[in-house]
Amino acid sequence: MKRTSTRLADGREILYFDADDGADRAVVPDPRPLDPSANSCEVRRDPLLGDAVVIASHRQGRTYHPPVDACPLCPSTGGRASEVPAPDYDVVVFENRFPSLAGDNGRCEVICFTPDHRTSFAELDEERAALVLAAWTDRTAELSARAGVRQVYCFENRGAEIGVTLAHPHGQIYAFPFITPRTTRMLATVAAHRARTGANLFDEVLAAERAEATRIVLEGEHWSAFVPYAARWPYEVHLYPHRRTADLTTLDDAARAEFPAVYLELLRRFDRLFAAPAPTPYVSAWHQAPVTGEGRADFALHLELFTVRRTADKLKYLAGTESGMEAYMNDVRPEDAAARLREVASR
């Protein structure tokens, strides 16, 4: 992999990741007359729950469902300048023009998986998926080293049903100045289990799922994917490396090599779940340990993949119980979801 760093017209960083170590990446200047980037990010703390809430009012004016010929994530070609000045790329990462977090309050980056607007992550080949993994790892390492960053979160939202406003295949990388509420709850549960039993809860969950096997979706030599026992979403899969590790930077070479094939197969199964007119919408989320802290050693890197679609023509909406009380109600039995995801395996 070769990494090339440069700047956009408003001072934001952009990084090109090329699969070929010897690639001659010419730095193409950004010709757009952009004003220096500005933001009004603010982190507030809920006094009753203790959760951090980000206030980012400047994001109201962000790009919203542009036509294909005005996509800001496609390469700059034919005299049209986009967020990516180069006429082509393998994988590219740049600071978000409309960030939720910036400056002392963290950082938000966009990662484009391919220059092809009309494809998806599931249609990438294993070499490109491996390059994306390398880019996620690079960004996790660099952002984790920044002052004030507590946790790095790599994720992809896919589909208008999820709320995606740009159709180009892309994800995001957030460097949080706080430990997210979901991770905070996991850490507390894992710490309590360690104090009570002396064992690691993540290890026990993975071992139990592999032993029971009814909710296993697919299993490799170094990874297992399963529908969790108490899944919140109609189709939800958790993907764990067999060797527990804190984050992407410490993932071993064997797991790193196997990941592209396993992950691409999972995404393709999601797309085969429904005879729907559009690809399955999903959220794919890497859960990584906080950068520092006592809980880091017990945390287990894993990916959570889920869709809001429960049938070909019905979506799972967060109703009053979920949105108001965080009491989830799932319409699909996890064992049935796992069976369906096994059924749609690649032939």
Side-chain angles (χ1 to χ4, degrees), residues 81-343:
S82 74
E83 286 281 79
V84 186
D88 196 16
Y89 61 82
D90 286 351
V91 172
V92 68
V93 175
F94 56 87
E95 289 183 75
N96 198 320
R97 189 176 177 186
F98 303 97
S100 299
L101 302 164
D104 294 338
N105 286 325
R107 175 154 152 154
C108 292
E109 299 180 342
V110 175
I111 176 169
C112 299
F113 308 132
T114 168
D116 187 349
H117 183 92
R118 299 183 185 279
T119 190
S120 69
F121 200 124
E123 296 177 87
L124 301 181
D125 60 25
E126 290 185 22
E127 182 182 23
R128 182 61 56 84
L131 184 60
V132 174
L133 177 61
W136 281 331
T137 305
D138 176 279
R139 304 316 302 143
T140 296
E142 184 168 303
L143 294 173
S144 294
R146 288 175 173 261
V149 171
R150 301 291 307 282
Q151 185 178 8
V152 178
Y153 175 47
C154 306
F155 65 102
E156 180 193 2
N157 298 334
R158 202 272 287 266
E161 299 92 334
I162 296 293
V164 175
T165 58
L166 297 175
H168 193 104
H170 75 288
Q172 299 181 66
I173 304 168
Y174 276 34
F176 285 103
F178 53 84
I179 300 174
T180 59
R182 185 171 172 84
T183 302
T184 298
R185 290 171 63 184
M186 283 188 196
L187 290 170
T189 303
V190 169
H193 187 81
R194 172 70 78 182
R196 186 173 62 253
T197 69
N200 182 276
L201 183 57
F202 285 111
D203 291 349
E204 291 191 352
V205 167
L206 177 59
E209 292 292 351
R210 295 181 69 191
E212 184 177 341
T214 57
R215 288 178 297 276
I216 290 287
V217 173
L218 63 87
E219 196 163 21
E221 185 178 352
H222 303 285
W223 294 86
S224 286
F226 58 90
V227 177
Y229 174 75
R232 291 168 167 79
W233 300 96
Y235 291 90
E236 175 181 346
V237 174
H238 293 189
L239 177 63
Y240 278 69
H242 293 167
R243 185 184 71 83
R244 175 164 48 88
T245 190
D247 61 27
L248 288 168
T249 69
T250 52
L251 190 65
D252 65 40
D253 290 343
R256 195 175 296 279
E258 188 180 68
F259 172 78
V262 173
Y263 184 52
L264 289 170
E265 173 63 15
L266 270 183
L267 293 182
R268 290 164 185 168
R269 291 190 191 191
F270 263 60
D271 275 345
R272 290 192 292 269
L273 274 173
F274 309 104
T280 301
Y282 64 72
V283 173
S284 178
W286 279 110
H287 289 258
Q288 304 198 82
V291 172
T292 59
E294 293 181 2
R296 181 174 170 84
D298 260 348
F299 198 86
L301 167 76
H302 63 284
L303 183 141
E304 297 186 7
L305 173 68
F306 64 87
T307 181
V308 296
R309 184 170 284 160
R310 55 191 175 93
T311 69
D313 59 353
K314 293 184 178 68
L315 298 179
K316 161 68 177 178
Y317 292 100
L318 293 186
T321 56
E322 289 103 348
S323 295
M325 296 303 291
E326 294 187 26
Y328 282 77
M329 314 288 175
N330 193 348
D331 299 314
V332 180
R333 188 169 175 266
E335 291 75 14
D336 295 337
R340 176 62 180 152
L341 283 161
R342 290 192 296 269
E343 180 184 294

Side-chain angles (χ1 to χ4, degrees), residues 19-81:
D20 181 2
D21 287 343
D24 183 16
R25 169 62 63 183
V27 175
V28 179
D30 182 0
R32 298 173 297 170
L34 299 179
D35 294 328
S37 56
N39 66 81
S40 58
C41 304
E42 181 183 358
V43 178
R44 299 184 180 184
R45 188 71 60 175
D46 184 313
L48 296 180
L49 298 176
D51 293 345
V53 178
V54 177
I55 310 298
S57 57
H58 64 282
R59 283 174 50 81
Q60 287 283 28
R62 65 187 183 274
T63 308
Y64 187 81
H65 292 300
V68 174
D69 60 2
C71 174
L73 307 186
C74 289
S76 294
T77 56
R80 185 186 72 84

